[in-house]
Amino acid sequence: MQTTLMLNDLIESDLIQSNLIKSDVIELDTFEAPTSHASANVSLPKTSDILTDLKTHGWTLLRGYHYDVETFSQLMSQLCQTLTYDPARQNITSEAQKVDAGTHAIGLHIENGNTPMPPDVIAFFSELSAKKGSQTTICDGHVVYQALSPELKATFSQPMRISRYLPQAIWQNYVATATGRLDADQISLDDLDKFITATTSKTLTHYVEPQADGGVRYVLQIPAIREDNLSGQLAFANTLLGPSFNYEKPEFTLANGQHVDDELIAELTQVCEKYTQDIAWQNGDMVILDNKRIMHGRRQIDVPLTERKLYIAMGIGLNHSDD
């Protein structure tokens, strides 16, 4: 059996004509998924083929066979060394979580980009696709980086400051999830300080300011331009245009001390929109993204939320073998 892996499907015609984005359809050799872990008669693409597409294009769409939640979970377990989770989301399986962010359109962002450990790879699975609206938007941050002026490249190559308030339960759950602990309510400020020390690096610094109610003011400093996971290309990949559905909206401050204002956001939105394309979901689709290169968002949902079931899985570290 073969699985069709479609790159950049259903994209804007002007992007096709500009040759900035390819619209190839590739037939991949697959291996049979063990029946103990996946639905019968379902084949999954090889990890090496997925990684090739992520290196070349930054993302890929798997369409042509109606996968289910179990095969979706197996694929991400096969692809990633460590699966990660958002403590504010509902778990569907031990690998996958429910995507539930209201009905309004959502701006472009990388997943968990306001945290010290954003996933390397994220994947979406559409069990039930909305018949109207709800298209996932994607934007290649490497192409955006190339389109930025020299001034903006220099500005966003410097660490920007991201600051927001986190309630006690949120930061406790985050540290517990990141460190594999089950006693989230026992996570202390000392535990948080140890986690911060362990995750500080040359390109990432962060600290907290404890608040009287047990919450913290969390401050993260990280560049808005980063290298992707596989090709080493620079990409404008961050959360400047993104949502804060489950968290307080962060404040962004540039390295020169200036706040990221509405004028700059409008300029970035205009640039990114030129290279944004829509994925019109079909039942059983999977999309896999390099979270250090491809930003994603969503068009407005125009149907009741009961008519849409979309799941997400996230991982750190990539397995470079099909074993």
Side-chain angles (χ1 to χ4, degrees), residues 86-319:
D86 187 330
R89 284 198 175 107
Q90 175 187 351
N91 279 65
I92 301 300
T93 68
S94 58
E95 297 84 8
Q97 295 184 294
K98 183 179 180 181
V99 176
D100 183 8
T103 60
H104 296 294
I106 292 178
L108 294 166
H109 61 286
I110 63 169
E111 197 68 24
N112 288 354
N114 293 327
T115 73
M117 296 174 61
D120 292 323
V121 172
I122 66 170
F124 294 102
F125 168 68
S126 182
E127 182 177 66
L128 178 63
S129 303
K131 296 184 182 303
K132 185 178 181 182
S134 188
Q135 300 92 338
T136 291
T137 54
I138 59 171
C139 181
D140 188 340
H142 176 61
V143 178
V144 173
Y145 170 76
Q146 293 178 308
L148 293 178
S149 67
E151 292 77 17
L152 285 180
K153 287 180 181 177
T155 295
F156 288 118
S157 294
Q158 300 298 314
M160 64 177 179
R161 181 177 183 266
I162 306 171
S163 173
R164 65 180 175 183
Y165 169 79
L166 296 177
Q168 183 174 9
I170 291 291
W171 67 257
Q172 285 179 319
N173 283 333
Y174 181 83
V175 174
T177 301
T179 58
R181 287 180 54 173
L182 300 177
D183 57 342
D185 60 339
Q186 299 300 310
I187 299 290
S188 66
L189 283 172
D190 285 341
D191 295 322
L192 177 57
D193 286 338
K194 291 177 182 177
F195 172 75
I196 287 174
T197 299
T199 51
T200 295
S201 67
K202 291 182 179 180
T203 58
L204 185 153
T205 59
H206 51 149
Y207 62 90
V208 295
E209 299 170 352
Q211 306 295 298
D213 62 356
V216 297
R217 172 63 56 179
Y218 175 65
V219 180
L220 170 68
Q221 296 187 99
I222 191 168
I225 293 171
R226 65 184 73 215
E227 288 188 2
D228 71 8
N229 285 299
L230 293 165
S231 70
Q233 296 180 113
L234 292 176
F236 181 82
N238 52 68
T239 62
L240 283 165
L241 307 181
S244 296
F245 186 75
N246 293 312
Y247 304 92
E248 178 184 281
K249 185 175 179 62
E251 298 177 358
F252 296 98
T253 306
L254 301 174
N256 61 9
Q258 294 182 350
H259 288 288
V260 176
D261 56 22
D262 292 342
E263 183 178 353
L264 180 54
I265 291 295
E267 181 180 356
L268 294 172
T269 299
Q270 186 176 23
V271 173
C272 290
E273 188 63 30
K274 293 179 182 178
Y275 308 105
T276 296
Q277 54 197 97
D278 292 359
I279 298 173
W281 289 103
Q282 296 180 16
N283 292 350
D285 282 353
M286 293 189 205
V287 167
I288 304 172
L289 309 176
D290 180 340
N291 196 49
K292 303 297 177 64
R293 172 175 170 178
I294 303 294
M295 296 182 289
H296 68 278
R298 188 192 67 208
R299 304 301 184 191
Q300 180 175 305
I301 299 176
D302 295 323
V303 299
L305 289 177
T306 55
E307 298 180 17
R308 174 183 182 264
K309 293 182 181 179
L310 188 70
Y311 306 127
I312 186 172
M314 307 181 290
I316 292 176
L318 295 169
N319 290 317

Side-chain angles (χ1 to χ4, degrees), residues 44-45 50 62 71-79 286 288:
L44 298 178
I50 295 175
L62 279 67
T71 49
F72 173 61
S73 299
Q74 183 194 351
L75 180 61
M76 281 301 284
S77 296
Q78 166 191 313
L79 182 63
M286 293 189 205
I288 304 172

Side-chain angles (χ1 to χ4, degrees), residues 28-82:
L28 298 178
D29 293 331
T30 58
F31 67 93
E32 293 294 329
T35 56
S36 59
H37 298 287
S39 299
N41 301 320
V42 173
S43 296
L44 298 178
K46 291 182 178 180
T47 296
S48 58
D49 289 326
I50 295 175
L51 294 179
T52 296
D53 292 328
L54 293 183
K55 182 176 181 179
T56 304
H57 301 279
W59 74 286
T60 193
L61 167 64
L62 279 67
R63 172 176 290 167
Y65 193 98
H66 283 195
Y67 296 104
D68 59 19
V69 176
E70 294 304 320
T71 49
F72 173 61
S73 299
Q74 183 194 351
L75 180 61
M76 281 301 284
S77 296
Q78 166 191 313
L79 182 63
C80 300
Q81 296 175 9
T82 303

